[in-house]
Amino acid sequence: MDTQPLYDLAPVLQLMLLGIAVALGPLAWVWLRNKQAAPAQRLAALTVLTLFLTFDLVLFGAFTRLTDSGLGCPDWPGCYGNASPSGAHAEISQAQAQMPTGPVTHGKAWIEMVHRYLATGVGVLILTLAVATWMQRKRGVPVSPWWPALTLVWVCLQGAFGALTVTMKLFPAIVTLHLLGGMLGLALLCLQAVAYAQAQRGTGPQLLPGNQRAALLAAFGLLWLQIALGGWVSTNYAVLACSDFPACQGAWWPAMDFRQGFELWRELGKAGSGEHVTFAALTAIHYSHRLVAYVLFAALLALAWRLWRGPLHRQARWLAGLALWQFASGLSNVVLGWPLVAAVAHTAGAAGLVIVFTWAVCESRATPVRAGERVRRREVSA
């Protein structure tokens, strides 16, 4: 295990073929269901399906992390230089005999490799979207190739972070960035799906009062902060630092070390000085996430109430429902001791919020302010 190179590119071709095989099913499904449809409609269907599969990939990535399977294969992109754990049976058995609970076991190796197969399949779908969009653009179909191209760049960067996650031994900052990258991919694909839907309807974004649009964007920004904090909690295994609610360790302000807790560039479980991360630092990580969660929960409910009777009423219902989902799943993680189902459900809720917020932002724009109104606003402010 110790002599295994971190990078072994021998199985790259086999993994690429596996990724194509994984992608062929969704591609065939879209083609069969849309044989008579216009090219733009087929691209729209493929975008929505890729968005759905990327959502599933984010959840499976959370499952991989939460089952401690991130190092189930200690090299990248294969498993001990093989395209599947079957070819590495002897090496995995030897590692498992030395450490029966991991990090390398047969079960964890399969979880890790299935995650890589799914990620490669999604990458093939995104490459197909980018190439197909450019081809249709050259044929005069009014589709924008730039967002699919940007998404292709994103998936390449995400693959690089996936490799670093393994080779840097679950370095917390890298794993957190990998999680944020997954959420960004959902936003990019949702943006394209909304654009296709608007083109098919022949309508543009709905007008919102300027203050509602500003509140929407502010809440979206707060959501990204909370996802980053949630990733930091998960990658530092700080969920169980507070096992009671609403207090933490029986206090409203427990002993915390924010400096060490938010020292970003360090190894898992270690401070920058090389010492072990203290429990006070883990408490600071957990409690920061909880405090921002209170603010975000209130902001989501207030935003949903403001949007409820407007053109974004569907998104408002989703925001309210997902806010309650996140509260319930987050609370379950604390009081039930971080059960796997609740932890994955919490990630699902965060991914769902990213999609709904992107949907709402793309489906709206601020109401233009007339010149006379600008003058009156300046007079009032003066």
Side-chain angles (χ1 to χ4, degrees), residues 52-74:
F52 173 75
L53 294 176
T54 304
F55 177 86
D56 294 337
L57 178 61
V58 168
L59 297 196
F60 199 83
F63 177 79
T64 301
R65 182 177 70 256
L66 293 165
T67 55
D68 294 324
S69 302
L71 297 178
C73 291

Side-chain angles (χ1 to χ4, degrees), residues 192-353:
Q192 295 166 63
V194 173
Y196 280 122
Q198 290 173 347
Q200 290 174 5
R201 295 196 311 262
T203 62
Q206 303 288 328
L207 293 178
L208 277 185
N211 56 352
Q212 287 189 15
R213 172 77 173 176
L216 176 65
L217 294 174
F220 198 14
L222 186 61
L223 173 66
W224 283 106
L225 171 63
Q226 181 66 346
I227 291 173
L229 287 172
W232 196 241
V233 170
S234 180
T235 56
N236 283 281
Y237 297 89
V239 174
L240 300 181
C242 297
S243 58
D244 50 337
F245 182 86
C248 175
Q249 302 168 16
W252 291 105
W253 194 260
M256 292 181 280
D257 185 346
F258 288 94
R259 182 194 62 78
Q260 190 184 85
F262 289 93
E263 187 178 14
L264 300 182
W265 200 251
R266 54 176 176 76
E267 296 180 22
L268 176 62
K270 298 289 186 67
S273 61
E275 301 174 352
H276 289 289
V277 172
T278 64
F279 189 69
L282 297 179
T283 304
I285 293 170
H286 179 112
Y287 211 60
S288 297
H289 180 62
R290 186 183 291 192
L291 292 175
V292 175
Y294 296 148
V295 178
L296 179 60
F297 182 71
L300 288 175
L301 293 182
L303 180 63
W305 181 78
R306 294 183 68 180
L307 298 177
W308 197 276
R309 297 186 182 278
L312 300 184
H313 55 89
R314 286 187 298 169
Q315 292 89 335
R317 288 196 292 268
W318 276 103
L319 288 176
L322 287 170
L324 296 174
W325 174 277
Q326 285 301 83
F327 179 82
S329 59
L331 182 60
S332 298
N333 280 323
V334 173
V335 300
L336 298 179
W338 205 17
L340 181 60
V341 172
V344 174
H346 203 54
T347 301
L353 282 170

